[in-house]
Amino acid sequence: MHALRLFRELGYHETTVEQIAEAAEISPSTFFRYFPTKEEVVTTDNYDPLLNAAFEDQPSDLSPIQAVRQAMVSGVKELSDGELATMRERDQLIMSIPELRAATLNNMTETMKLISEMVAKRIGCSPDDMAVRTFAGAVIGVNISVMLHYAEHPDADFKQLLDTALGQLEAGLPLPGK
């Protein structure tokens, strides 16, 4: 991804949309057709439709958390080593730039709505139900904790982190210690 390379080489704030467009061999106006802001070139991903499809493929006898866990982990298992490296670089950038963290929160709010809709449909209630929203918020919280850990620990295995963290949520979030 040209933008990540330029951000790494020049710095996020120092890189202009014009430079990104030039590296991608497109015009700035074409860039803005795909990404309304510079932040969105980092925060936009295609994972939500994949999550939705994977969730719908889960057996109906699984609980909502089991279905979400299986859907998320199965999706991550399909990522190549290169895609995982790009994800780490993206996460590191997001965690180090305040405006990217804010933009990511907007993105995750949309993902939380998607999770609420998926789970509500599965259990036959409204996506606005507070318990459903709380569940979706907990899943998003797990994703944020995994994203932060993955950005801070270069040797971490994202697939294992996500599975373990969602397993902790499934187990009721037991904490270590006494």
Side-chain angles (χ1 to χ4, degrees):
M1 177 197 252
H2 298 292
L4 283 177
R5 179 184 53 78
L6 289 170
F7 297 151
R8 184 177 52 253
E9 291 171 3
L10 307 174
Y12 176 78
H13 291 103
E14 293 74 20
T15 302
T16 66
V17 167
E18 290 75 17
Q19 290 168 318
I20 297 168
E22 182 181 331
E25 299 180 358
I26 60 172
S27 69
S29 61
T30 300
F31 174 92
F32 284 117
R33 272 188 249 147
Y34 291 97
F35 305 103
T37 66
K38 183 168 89 169
E39 290 87 6
E40 288 195 32
V41 77
V42 177
T43 62
T44 299
D45 62 47
N46 298 321
Y47 300 132
D48 286 357
L50 299 174
L51 171 61
N52 191 34
F55 183 81
E56 288 185 2
D57 287 344
Q58 298 307 309
S60 61
D61 63 330
L62 295 181
S63 70
I65 184 58
Q66 290 170 328
V68 166
R69 182 180 180 188
Q70 293 295 334
M72 288 184 158
V73 171
S74 69
V76 169
K77 285 181 179 176
E78 294 179 19
L79 297 176
S80 69
D81 289 343
E83 289 169 317
L84 287 167
T86 298
M87 181 186 296
R88 180 187 315 280
E89 186 173 5
R90 230 177 114 235
D91 289 354
Q92 289 170 332
L93 187 62
I94 288 167
M95 291 302 164
S96 66
I97 307 292
E99 51 264 52
L100 291 177
R101 283 195 310 269
T104 298
L105 181 58
N106 287 335
N107 187 320
M108 288 190 167
T109 299
E110 292 305 311
T111 302
M112 188 176 96
K113 288 178 187 175
L114 172 68
I115 293 169
S116 293
E117 291 166 3
M118 294 179 337
V119 169
K121 180 180 173 185
R122 185 178 189 96
I123 65 173
C125 71
S126 169
D128 297 336
D129 183 281
M130 189 60 184
V132 172
R133 281 190 174 164
T134 300
F135 172 86
V139 171
I140 292 300
V142 165
N143 279 277
I144 292 170
S145 70
V146 169
M147 186 177 164
L148 180 59
H149 189 89
Y150 190 58
E152 293 174 340
H153 296 86
D155 296 330
D157 177 337
F158 185 81
K159 299 167 195 172
Q160 185 61 46
L161 285 173
L162 182 62
D163 189 42
T164 298
L166 287 168
Q168 288 176 305
L169 180 61
E170 185 178 349
L173 295 175
L175 296 173
K178 297 180 181 183

